[in-house]
Amino acid sequence: MPAQDPQRQIPLVASTSEGDIAGSEQLVNVFPEKSTGGKYPFTLKGTPGQAFFLELPTFPVKGIHFNKGRAFAVTPSKLYEIFANGTYVELGDVDFIGRVVMEDNGIQIVMVDGFKGYSWDAQTNIVSQLTGDGWYPAKTVTYQDGYFIFERKDTGQFFISDLLSVNFDPLDAATAEGQPDKLVAVLSDHREVFMFGTETIEVWYNSGAADFPFERNQGAFVEKGCAAPYSIAKKNNTIYFIGSDLMVYQMVGYTPVRISSHAVEEDLKDIELSDAFAYTYAEGGHLFYMMTLPARNKTWCFDISTGAWHLRRDYQFGRHRSNCHAFFDNKNLVGDFQSGRIYQLTQKYFSDDNEPLVREFILPTINNGREFLTMYSFELDMSSGIGLTYGQGSDPQAILNFSKDSGKTWSNDKFTSLGKIGEYLERVKWNRLGAARQFVIRIRISDPVPIDIGGAWVEIR
């Protein structure tokens, strides 16, 4: 019997699901943006591309840091200053094998990787290794009130530098001892230092005491630890991290609030998280928490502005190729995890360097209860006539596949045009898709064109 309403709108905004019987929804290199008016409450936008900025002679890029109008990049063997015109100059030698964390006090930049530490001095322009009594290997470093603060690797202790210095006093150390777990990272936020342990988090502050300036905030003990020290990042007046229970959290005051979906949490299980890392950045009114899991070869991105997760995927590598981030010269710069290339992350560029940036989204399952249905057409309501003047993308295409078995197998590719330049009335539509008890629709767009999708409609009977 024909459906009463043969046309049905399919929601484009959905949580990325677990790919089980409940649904296979997925957003890859697209994210929802709340609309301020018009036909739809949300639209789907394309994630930023990566435009080439410069290439360093050594690789990979382990860290980028911004300091008082200047930017610096570090590789396993060299520290460089990079300039807004895409050039660089070598500053000195380093020797890093682990992931690098960088911090500065306005005069010196300090870099640590869990094995060695180095500093660069703006006054002398010299790179020096951190040594001597009072210095210990540390994975992370933060800065507050003139002091560099480090966790002492594989212990429950942290230690600090002398004031506005990279010298160390062996007595300038303390223990986060609310619980006997090991410290894994330190981070200063709002003039408080969050001491992340494997099972708990303590908060310390600068009391100004003469013998040792930092004291524990007795009312801020968090019974939640951190499973991935490099996943800790801050944005929007709060801190984000992977918790010891393999959920992703946002700190609200001193309370960790779960923000991860079940799909994200499935990816955090049964893998090594010591090399998982995250950074935050802002663009176009969105605040993003980018979390890469090398063991899964996958990058999850949380849109702080909307509370939605999506995947960032590189055409060649699977995970997003960015390894580190800094905001410099009004640009979001990211370093490549395999080469010495640095890119500008921008929504005005529609490729990843010179490779395709493939947008993909899988829509919620279309069904008519337990009855068979015939899908006469599927249409995307989106900007059309967006073709480029020449070359790849001059006649941009969208590819549709459908699945009748919850995404286990897919149909052959079905192409339709997004409209050559100026063809603004082109309808992005596919006809005669067959009959089944249910359909799952997958759309892919790989041409270097802007993506702005408002809704999807199906005609079924």
Side-chain angles (χ1 to χ4, degrees), residues 24 362 365-366 375 400-411 433 436-442:
S24 305
I362 300 175
T365 301
I366 302 166
M375 188 178 298
L400 179 146
N401 307 99
F402 61 81
S403 173
K404 300 179 181 181
D405 52 16
S406 300
K408 296 178 178 63
T409 61
W410 296 92
S411 70
L433 299 179
R437 276 200 172 90
Q438 62 179 22
F439 284 89
V440 177
I441 301 293
R442 179 177 69 189

Side-chain angles (χ1 to χ4, degrees), residues 228-305:
Y230 301 120
S231 71
I232 302 167
K234 62 181 183 178
K235 197 73 175 178
N236 198 32
N237 294 310
T238 191
I239 298 172
Y240 302 83
F241 66 99
I242 299 175
S244 52
D245 55 3
L246 305 185
M247 299 181 187
V248 184
Y249 289 95
Q250 168 187 325
M251 293 298 295
V252 178
Y254 301 130
T255 301
V257 176
R258 172 183 178 262
I259 61 170
S260 50
S261 67
H262 293 304
V264 172
E265 290 157 9
E266 281 297 312
D267 274 343
L268 295 176
K269 295 177 181 177
D270 303 320
I271 61 169
E272 177 59 52
L273 289 172
S274 61
D275 58 353
F277 68 91
Y279 62 82
T280 57
Y281 78 95
E283 185 178 16
H286 292 262
L287 307 174
F288 295 108
Y289 172 76
M290 287 274 286
M291 180 183 72
T292 295
L293 309 175
R296 293 279 186 212
N297 197 31
K298 186 177 286 189
T299 299
W300 284 98
C301 185
F302 180 68
D303 188 342
I304 300 169
S305 309

